[in-house]
């Protein structure tokens, strides 16, 4: 590594530092030493003080310009030193720490086994049992038999829903009704299953009897009356009462996975989707080309050093920031909607409630909201 450019830049900086034009005190000292005494004598001799002081101010302004000009050249020379150092001594992070080594992916036995487990689990969650058995033969891994039973049940019920048979799904929802009704995310799956059965019945009298037996219990939370009266009219293809099984199958899959603690989506599919179609890999590779080794090893990043636009379905964290506390909402401090419609964090609203009162004034409008009226929001 050559030091010639660094030495030349340092010499230029030292020359500027030694010159009186780049000193912050030299021009001012000259004004004081050379002009202040003269000005004093002129005033004592009878010269108009206003004129003498004006001339002294003009000299001071010229000295200020000299200081600014000198400092500008000095800072430019200092910047050249930094550029020369970066050019002559490029960072070699891999020589500093083994953390910056970049070995091929999954060469380690534990990492390779972890990848195989992820692929096997993904095949099982998709119900591709022929592929699961072939994968088990090629590796020493085995799919959890209990999980296989659950996965087979899931896909059997999903196939029934897609075929228009809702009995198995309703039976499962009945067996798990306590879980589906539990807060903080009570599910409307049972209503939508019975709604699908109701819409599939062509005989109006039979449909009304089914609604009376299974749908009116949901009147407090669902538009049951609108649904029931819809059977009096014809159903167009774009009608909100058209019986589409695809959303219902997706809703059932979500609740089934939640019931057994599974990810709602296949984790391997999510990673591949974010990396390829989501554009994360392209953004990371571009950052590595532009920033080089200054970003360090990508495997050590705790967060991406650039923004990667993602669709709403791929955003897994709350993006709400309280306008009062400026803090991001959490499960313990969730976003809370006031009676006026404005939203703040729960802790901010609690602090706004004065001692001895049960309500607080909105920070953005005059309307007050009681503690019992504030509602938690879910993003």
């Amino acid at each position: 590594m050559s030091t010639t450019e660094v030495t030349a830049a340092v010499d230029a900086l030292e020359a500027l530092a030694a010159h009186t034009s780049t000193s912050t005190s030299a021009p001012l000292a000259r004004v004081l030493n050379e002009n202040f005494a003269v000005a004093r004598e002129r005033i004592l001799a009878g010269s108009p003080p206003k004129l003498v002081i004006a001339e002294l101010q003009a000299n001071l302004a010229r000295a200020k310009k000299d200081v600014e000009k000198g400092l500008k050249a000095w800072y430019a020379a200092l910047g050249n030193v930094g550029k020369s150092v970066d050019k002559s001594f490029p960072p070699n992070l891999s020589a500093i720490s083994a953390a910056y080594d970049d070995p091929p992916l999954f060469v380690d036995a534990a990492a390779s086994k972890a990848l195989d487990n992820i692929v096997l689990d993904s095949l099982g969650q998709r119900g591709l049992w022929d592929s699961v058995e072939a994968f088990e033969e090629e590796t020493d891994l085995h799919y959890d038999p209990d999980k296989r039973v659950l996965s087979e049940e899931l896909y059997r019920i999903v196939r029934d829903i897609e075929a228009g048979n809702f009995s198995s799904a309703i039976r499962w929802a009945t067996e798990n009704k306590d879980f589906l009704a539990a807060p903080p995310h009570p599910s409307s799956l049972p209503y939508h299953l019975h709604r699908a059965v109701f819409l599939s019945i062509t005989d109006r009298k039979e449909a009304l009897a089914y609604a009376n037996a299974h749908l009116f219990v949901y009147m407090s939370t669902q538009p049951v009356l609108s649904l029931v009266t819809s059977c009096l009219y014809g159903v167009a293809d774009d009608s909100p009462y058209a019986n589409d099984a695809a959303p219902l199958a997706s809703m059932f899959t979500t609740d089934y996975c939640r019931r057994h603690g599974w990810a709602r989506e296949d984790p391997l599919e999510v990673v591949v989707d974010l990396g390829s179609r989501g554009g994360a890999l392209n953004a990371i590779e571009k950052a590595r080309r532009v920033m080089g080794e200054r970003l360090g090893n990508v495997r050590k990043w705790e967060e991406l050093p650039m923004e990667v636009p993602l669709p709403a379905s791929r955003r897994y964290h709350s993006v709400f920031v309280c306008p009062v506390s400026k803090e991001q909402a959490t499960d313990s401090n969730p976003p809370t909607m006031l009676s006026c419609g404005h939203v703040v964090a729960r802790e901010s609203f609690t602090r706004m409630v004065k001692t001895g009162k049960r309500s607080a004034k909105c920070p953005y409008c005059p309307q007050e909201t009681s503690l019992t009226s504030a509602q938690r929001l879910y993003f």
Side-chain angles (χ1 to χ4, degrees):
M1 293 181 288
S2 175
T3 60
T4 304
E5 294 184 7
V6 177
T7 302
V10 171
D11 290 343
L13 181 64
E14 290 178 346
L16 284 172
H19 199 275
T20 55
S21 64
T22 57
S23 170
T24 57
S25 60
L28 297 178
R30 185 170 62 252
V31 170
L32 295 176
N33 295 334
E34 297 178 3
N35 296 318
F36 186 76
V38 175
R40 183 173 181 276
E41 292 176 359
R42 289 178 61 190
I43 292 175
L44 292 176
S47 296
K50 186 175 181 180
L51 177 62
V52 174
I53 293 175
E55 292 178 355
L56 188 60
Q57 289 175 336
N59 292 335
L60 182 60
R62 285 193 294 271
K64 179 176 179 291
K65 291 182 179 180
D66 292 340
V67 171
E68 292 175 347
K69 182 178 179 180
L71 289 179
K72 183 177 180 180
W74 193 88
Y75 279 117
L78 180 62
N80 289 335
V81 172
K83 293 178 182 178
S84 299
V85 170
D86 290 340
K87 184 177 180 180
S88 301
F89 303 98
N92 186 6
L93 299 179
S94 60
I96 298 174
S97 171
Y100 295 101
D101 290 343
D102 193 20
L105 292 172
F106 305 114
V107 295
D108 182 78
S112 179
K113 185 174 182 179
L115 177 61
D116 289 342
N117 272 312
I118 291 174
V119 173
L120 179 63
D121 190 65
S122 177
L123 294 174
Q125 286 199 26
R126 294 168 180 269
L128 304 175
W129 302 117
D130 291 340
S131 299
V132 168
E133 292 172 1
F135 199 85
E136 289 176 335
E137 291 178 0
E138 296 179 4
T139 64
D140 59 347
L141 302 176
H142 297 282
Y143 197 82
D144 186 348
D146 294 335
K147 192 172 183 179
R148 175 165 181 165
V149 171
L150 294 175
S151 184
E152 289 176 341
E153 180 187 39
L154 168 62
Y155 283 96
R156 183 176 63 254
I157 297 176
V158 168
R159 285 193 297 269
D160 288 345
I161 293 175
E162 292 173 344
N165 179 7
F166 307 103
S167 58
S168 59
I170 291 176
R171 185 165 54 253
W172 182 90
T174 302
E175 294 171 354
N176 295 274
K177 62 179 181 180
D178 293 338
F179 171 80
L180 295 175
H185 303 290
S187 173
S188 59
L189 175 65
Y191 163 76
H192 285 282
L193 289 171
H194 287 299
R195 175 184 182 275
V197 174
F198 171 82
L199 293 175
S200 67
I201 301 175
T202 56
D203 183 84
R204 293 180 179 178
K205 185 176 181 180
E206 184 181 348
L208 290 174
Y210 187 88
N212 186 55
H214 301 285
L215 285 173
F216 283 105
V217 294
Y218 302 105
M219 282 190 60
S220 61
T221 58
Q222 302 293 341
V224 176
L225 291 180
S226 298
L227 172 65
V228 172
T229 55
S230 70
C231 70
L232 301 176
Y233 306 92
V235 179
D237 292 338
D238 58 348
S239 168
Y241 300 104
N243 206 354
D244 186 1
L248 190 56
S250 177
M251 181 184 295
F252 178 83
T253 301
T254 297
D255 281 333
Y256 192 95
C257 292
R258 187 165 62 93
R259 175 66 180 89
H260 296 288
W262 298 355
R264 183 182 62 181
E265 299 175 279
D266 179 8
L268 184 60
E269 179 184 0
V270 172
V271 171
V272 173
D273 191 37
L274 290 177
S276 56
R277 291 192 293 271
L281 287 180
N282 291 335
I284 292 172
E285 185 58 28
K286 181 177 179 180
R288 294 183 68 177
R289 287 198 306 267
V290 174
M291 300 296 291
E293 291 185 329
R294 280 176 287 180
L295 287 177
N297 189 347
V298 64
R299 303 180 199 179
K300 301 298 180 181
W301 294 356
E302 294 184 359
E303 59 183 23
L304 294 179
M306 79 296 290
E307 183 176 356
V308 179
L310 297 175
S313 61
R314 294 302 187 204
R315 298 173 186 171
Y316 301 101
H317 302 283
S318 170
V319 294
F320 176 78
V321 176
C322 176
V324 176
S325 65
K326 309 302 181 185
E327 297 177 352
Q328 185 168 319
T330 62
D331 288 339
S332 60
N333 184 27
T336 302
M337 185 174 69
L338 310 184
S339 300
C340 55
H342 291 116
V343 181
V344 298
R346 167 64 68 176
E347 291 180 358
S348 298
F349 175 68
T350 304
R351 285 195 294 266
M352 289 189 295
V353 179
K354 297 181 180 179
T355 304
K357 291 189 175 183
R358 296 184 178 181
S359 63
K361 180 181 176 182
C362 172
Y364 295 100
C365 69
Q367 187 169 343
E368 291 195 357
T369 302
S370 65
L371 285 171
T372 55
S373 298
Q375 297 182 354
R376 174 174 177 172
L377 291 184
Y378 294 92
F379 287 89

